[in-house]
Amino acid sequence: MDKLAATLMFESLSSGIRLDIYRLLVKAGPDGLVAGDIATALALPPNNTSFHLKTLTQAGLLSATQEGRFQRYRANMRLMTELIDYLTAECCTGNPDQCADLSLPVSNCCVSNETTP
Amino acid sequence: MDKLAATLMFESLSSGIRLDIYRLLVKAGPDGLVAGDIATALALPPNNTSFHLKTLTQAGLLSATQEGRFQRYRANMRLMTELIDYLTAECCTGNPDQCADLSLPVSNCCVSNETTP
DNA sequence: TCATTATTTCAATAGTTCTTGTATAGTTGA
DNA sequence: TCAACTATACAAGAACTATTGAAATAATGA
């Protein structure tokens, strides 16, 4: 994870529409969704949906595969974890005690399926 | 964590300069840094530094406290963990097996001080 | 008080992004 | 082959963001 890749990912997620798309695909899991279903689910015009899907894909947050005339998109969860790792790298260097109370809740994913309050 | 807050945070981190500032402050830990030190460390003009610090603070990623004529900034780590939680909420709903191999590396923070490869 | 230092604010400009409409490419099935 | 469907590409205009220089605010110390 380098700085350029990280800024690309953040820029991608800085749009409400793209954030909706990404979270929809995280929720959809490994099966992903085809472009038309995404557009329908979020009530977006197809060309605008395509625009945002392209942005997310170029940032690496989504992967796309062709299925006949459909285009299936999936969230790249692994890249997300790398981004998080990049952000928190060298956290409190030399002073682990000082931020030990953070109790990072991230690993809730796939441990509990309840949404956090 | 609502959508507006999340997009604000992502928008803040989508600039290379602001990403540098944030990571510098994560590394600095609870002591934070004053604005001038941040500008010096990143070789930025003071007014531009102020511009980006304001953006990060408005997004909630930084907190600012006055110290005489200095302004001290600190990273808000807890908000970051909330953002991550928001992103991965309902991950693979109903299919926990399918993404169980993610082995989220986030909790590296404050467990190991080594930078990840 | 007055000069100095630290930081922020404001205005102007250049560059970028988002949305919409239109057109195009590729796939499917009759 | 032809028509219908899925999805993307392109262009134009409005709206937004980043950078810079100049000025303002506020605290410190001689």
Side-chain angles (χ1 to χ4, degrees):
Chain A
M1 176 70 53
D2 61 358
K3 188 164 91 176
L4 180 59
T7 52
L8 266 177
M9 291 174 69
F10 286 126
E11 192 178 344
S12 291
L13 294 170
S14 70
S15 144
I17 290 178
R18 289 195 292 268
L19 186 55
D20 283 341
I21 292 174
Y22 183 77
R23 294 183 77 224
L24 183 65
L25 286 170
V26 166
K27 191 172 173 180
D31 291 341
L33 291 170
V34 298
D37 289 345
I38 297 170
T40 302
L42 301 176
L44 295 170
N47 56 351
N48 197 15
T49 306
S50 181
F51 170 80
H52 291 298
L53 285 170
K54 184 181 171 186
T55 302
L56 285 161
T57 305
Q58 284 176 338
L61 284 164
L62 303 184
S63 63
T65 56
Q66 190 103 28
E67 287 185 7
R69 64 179 138 176
F70 298 90
Q71 198 80 18
R72 182 169 296 273
Y73 288 90
R74 295 176 178 85
N76 184 350
M77 294 296 292
R78 198 173 304 272
L79 189 61
M80 175 55 58
T81 65
E82 288 178 26
L83 178 66
I84 294 165
D85 211 32
Y86 174 80
L87 257 189
T88 54
E90 304 181 70
C91 164
C92 308
T93 309
N95 305 300
D97 298 340
Q98 297 182 288
C99 66
D101 64 332
L102 272 179
S103 67
L104 291 162
V106 180
S107 51
N108 281 354
C109 169
C110 300
V111 172
S112 157
N113 281 323
E114 296 168 11
T115 56
T116 48
Chain B
M1 177 69 55
D2 60 358
K3 188 164 93 174
L4 180 59
T7 52
L8 266 177
M9 292 174 70
F10 285 127
E11 191 178 344
S12 292
L13 294 170
S14 69
S15 144
I17 290 179
R18 290 195 292 267
L19 186 55
D20 284 342
I21 292 174
Y22 183 78
R23 294 183 77 223
L24 183 65
L25 286 170
V26 167
K27 192 172 172 180
D31 292 342
L33 291 170
V34 298
D37 289 345
I38 296 170
T40 302
L42 301 177
L44 294 172
N47 55 352
N48 197 16
T49 306
S50 182
F51 170 80
H52 290 298
L53 285 171
K54 184 180 173 186
T55 302
L56 284 162
T57 304
Q58 285 177 337
L61 284 164
L62 304 184
S63 63
T65 56
Q66 191 104 27
E67 286 185 8
R69 65 179 136 175
F70 298 89
Q71 197 81 15
R72 183 169 296 271
Y73 287 90
R74 295 177 178 84
N76 183 352
M77 294 296 293
R78 198 172 303 273
L79 189 60
M80 175 55 56
T81 65
E82 287 178 25
L83 178 65
I84 295 167
D85 211 32
Y86 174 80
L87 258 189
T88 54
E90 304 182 70
C91 162
C92 308
T93 310
N95 305 301
D97 298 340
Q98 297 183 288
C99 65
D101 64 334
L102 273 179
S103 67
L104 291 162
V106 181
S107 51
N108 281 354
C109 169
C110 299
V111 172
S112 157
N113 282 322
E114 298 169 9
T115 55
T116 48

